[in-house]
Amino acid sequence: MKLVVLGAGPGGYGAAARAAQLGAEVTIIEKTEVGGTCLNWGCIPTKSIIASAAAYDRAKKLSEFGIILNGEITPDICRIIDRKNRIVSTQIKGIRSFFKSRGINLIEGNGRILSPEKLTVTMQDGSGQEISADRIIIATGSRPAALEGLEYDGQRILSSDHAINIESIPKSIAIIGAGVIGSEFACILRQLGSEVTIIEMMPRALMTEDDEISAIFTRELKKMKIRLITGSKVERVQKNSSSVALELSNGEALEVEKVLVSIGRALNTKNIGLDNADITTGHRGIIPVNEKLETDAANIYAVGDITGKMMLAHLATKQGNIAAENACGRHSSIDYSCVPAGIFTTPEIGSVGIREHEAVEKGINIKVGRFQYRTLGKAHADGDITGLIKIISNASTDRVLGMHIIGAHASDLVHEGALAINSGLKTKDIASTIHAHPTLAEGIMEAAEDLDSI
């Protein structure tokens, strides 16, 4: 069976790897670079820069740990970006090597569907190639969404793609959007020394997160001296030689060195030949799929951001695996009720399952257990006492429905909640499990015990 995958990001290479493992003849087409947004402009680059910013921030606090460092400590943005580039390059080489070892044929060019059985690829030198396929998996991903009046120029008006390659640390920056990406960059740039203002049209930062977690994060932004303006949007923009002037809907005027637009992602579903396969897109260009990742067209599947689900690399990879299995004749489906997510702000946020406000809106009778980081000896030893672990359970059955954490290593800790939800565990199962001391994970046990006492 010949399978062609359009796009070599997490969803695409996940599909290609699984299909090759199942014995398919796999070709994967990529127009830019393997790894997609996650590896080249998203997850890995930002986390590399976050690690540098956190190291610098920690270094400034060494005296609190009894370490005296003589001399000035300054961030070198060129070296930070160079380190990021080396990490990305290593990962790219790893993916390319993996393709070769699995016999996956990589074609570098712009792919387009001609029919449910045929695609064309335009190479970088302008030449073309046609490829036949028994099955097609579309995994073309997304790109930074643009905002009218704040068109990207890479100098004054930046996208997240530009921000991971900045040549100097701006003295001041306005970030449009307090979602995941905007919040992460706000923490990065503040730690590196920028004066940061976030402008968000919604009533709070991180609207997708649990209300209580969002409130704690907002408090921490204030501690970091990051200004958050909510319920407002940019009305007018004036670019000058060395700054950008903004007028907001609340009547306020700002002047900053740079602006980072972070209002979400636009889907890459145009000009890939969907009409030729009679695939109709929905709102924002979403390709509708069923639980098997099948599109309206027979033998064509779609995975990743373009399916309109949570924009998470690990979810795209899982979707890719499921689509590949179905393309190879297996019968697999996907469940979206237990997908963990991490936000790499300061402090980190980890979440899985239902939020408290969502449960209330759905009329689910719940219990909520909480435990503060400041009570943990390990948190004090590490010097990171800010944080909350929150567990939501069904009041009738005691089954874990959600876990939400803000604090150090939250993105790692939350997987205990993912396992509990996926396995149908009850809070008493967590509470009765011995957790090592001294660890941050003890807090999860304590939060579960808090629920047991309700």
Side-chain angles (χ1 to χ4, degrees):
M1 190 271 290
K2 291 183 179 180
L3 172 69
V4 176
V5 182
L6 194 55
Y13 66 64
R18 183 61 176 141
Q21 187 179 43
L22 294 174
E25 181 184 325
V26 183
T27 295
I28 190 165
I29 302 167
E30 174 55 53
K31 69 176 182 179
T32 53
E33 182 56 271
V34 299
T37 292
C38 175
L39 177 51
N40 293 282
W41 305 282
C43 313
I44 305 306
T46 54
K47 277 48 181 186
S48 301
I49 298 171
I50 285 169
S52 294
Y56 174 55
D57 190 57
R58 183 69 118 182
K60 291 189 292 183
K61 301 173 183 176
L62 284 177
S63 61
E64 298 175 15
F65 293 84
I67 308 298
I68 305 303
L69 180 65
N70 295 317
E72 187 179 7
I73 304 172
T74 57
D76 185 328
I77 192 63
C78 292
R79 291 189 179 186
I80 290 173
I81 299 303
D82 180 63
R83 176 179 180 271
K84 177 267 296 182
N85 290 339
R86 283 185 279 112
I87 291 169
V88 170
S89 178
T90 298
Q91 296 295 307
I92 288 172
K93 290 176 182 177
I95 293 175
R96 287 177 173 269
S97 177
F98 176 81
F99 285 166
K100 289 181 181 179
S101 69
R102 291 296 178 92
I104 297 169
N105 180 33
L106 170 64
I107 298 178
E108 298 181 73
N110 192 11
R112 189 168 183 272
I113 298 170
L114 294 179
S115 74
E117 298 83 27
K118 190 176 291 186
L119 301 91
T120 182
V121 183
T122 303
M123 308 299 185
Q124 294 177 349
D125 62 5
S127 63
Q129 178 181 349
E130 285 193 3
I131 304 170
S132 61
D134 298 309
R135 305 283 190 277
I136 297 172
I137 297 178
I138 307 170
T140 46
S142 63
R143 64 191 184 281
L147 186 61
E148 187 177 355
L150 280 163
E151 288 77 16
Y152 302 124
D153 60 18
Q155 299 298 318
R156 295 287 163 208
I157 314 297
L158 311 178
S159 70
S160 56
D161 288 0
H162 298 124
I164 63 165
N165 288 306
I166 55 172
E167 297 177 352
S168 62
I169 300 167
K171 291 182 179 179
S172 60
I173 188 165
I175 298 177
I176 314 300
V180 173
I181 299 172
S183 295
E184 286 187 353
F185 273 108
C187 294
I188 291 170
L189 292 167
R190 181 64 193 133
Q191 285 181 323
L192 293 177
S194 295
E195 182 182 309
V196 180
T197 301
I198 310 174
I199 302 163
E200 171 57 58
M201 65 182 297
M202 302 300 284
R204 62 183 175 90
L206 297 175
M207 280 294 295
T208 58
E209 296 306 303
D210 185 272
D211 291 359
E212 197 169 358
I213 300 297
S214 175
I216 294 171
F217 176 64
T218 299
R219 182 192 72 196
E220 293 306 306
L221 287 178
K222 188 174 182 179
K223 287 182 181 178
M224 292 178 69
K225 298 184 179 179
I226 294 174
R227 189 179 178 210
L228 172 64
I229 302 172
T230 56
S232 188
K233 59 182 180 179
V234 176
E235 295 282 5
R236 293 181 181 80
V237 181
Q238 177 64 54
K239 286 197 293 184
N240 304 311
S241 59
S242 59
S243 65
V244 183
L246 304 174
E247 291 184 24
L248 308 185
S249 58
N250 66 359
E252 189 170 349
L254 297 174
E255 188 166 356
V256 293
E257 185 179 330
K258 295 182 186 293
V259 175
L260 170 61
V261 179
S262 179
I263 58 168
R265 307 282 299 176
L267 307 182
N268 295 328
T269 54
K270 290 184 178 180
N271 303 317
I272 59 172
L274 297 181
D275 291 346
N276 296 330
D278 293 325
I279 296 175
T280 303
T281 58
H283 176 61
R284 298 192 303 114
I286 291 170
I287 299 178
V289 293
N290 61 19
E291 72 281 357
K292 295 182 179 181
L293 284 312
E294 296 169 323
T295 68
D296 292 337
N299 300 325
I300 298 183
Y301 304 77
V303 303
D305 292 354
I306 57 174
T307 63
K309 310 300 181 184
M310 292 170 276
M311 289 186 170
L312 299 168
H314 47 282
L315 177 58
T317 300
K318 182 63 175 178
Q319 287 181 316
N321 291 341
I322 297 295
E325 289 175 3
N326 288 313
C328 291
R330 297 199 175 191
H331 300 285
S332 302
S333 60
I334 189 166
D335 176 13
Y336 296 99
S337 66
C338 181
V339 182
I343 304 176
F344 296 85
T345 45
T346 304
E348 278 187 11
I349 296 170
S351 62
V352 65
I354 199 166
R355 277 78 173 164
E356 184 176 0
H357 65 272
E358 292 172 340
V360 172
E361 290 166 3
K362 293 178 180 179
I364 302 172
N365 187 19
I366 60 171
K367 296 191 297 182
V368 180
R370 299 174 177 84
F371 196 77
Q372 299 283 346
Y373 266 55
R374 67 180 63 253
T375 313
L376 296 167
K378 184 63 161 59
H380 282 270
D382 290 344
D384 285 317
I385 64 171
T386 297
L388 172 71
I389 297 168
K390 180 174 181 177
I391 301 177
I392 299 169
S393 73
N394 186 301
S396 302
T397 66
D398 193 43
R399 286 184 61 170
V400 179
L401 300 179
M403 183 179 290
H404 307 281
I405 305 173
I406 182 168
H409 302 289
S411 62
D412 299 310
L413 294 171
V414 77
H415 289 85
E416 186 167 341
L419 178 62
I421 297 170
N422 191 58
S423 302
L425 300 182
K426 299 180 179 181
T427 58
K428 67 178 182 181
D429 295 318
I430 297 176
S432 63
T433 300
I434 299 173
H435 288 60
H437 174 79
T439 64
L440 298 178
E442 284 179 284
I444 296 175
M445 178 185 69
E446 296 285 0
E449 288 181 351
D450 182 46
L451 262 168
D452 230 17
S453 66
I454 296 175

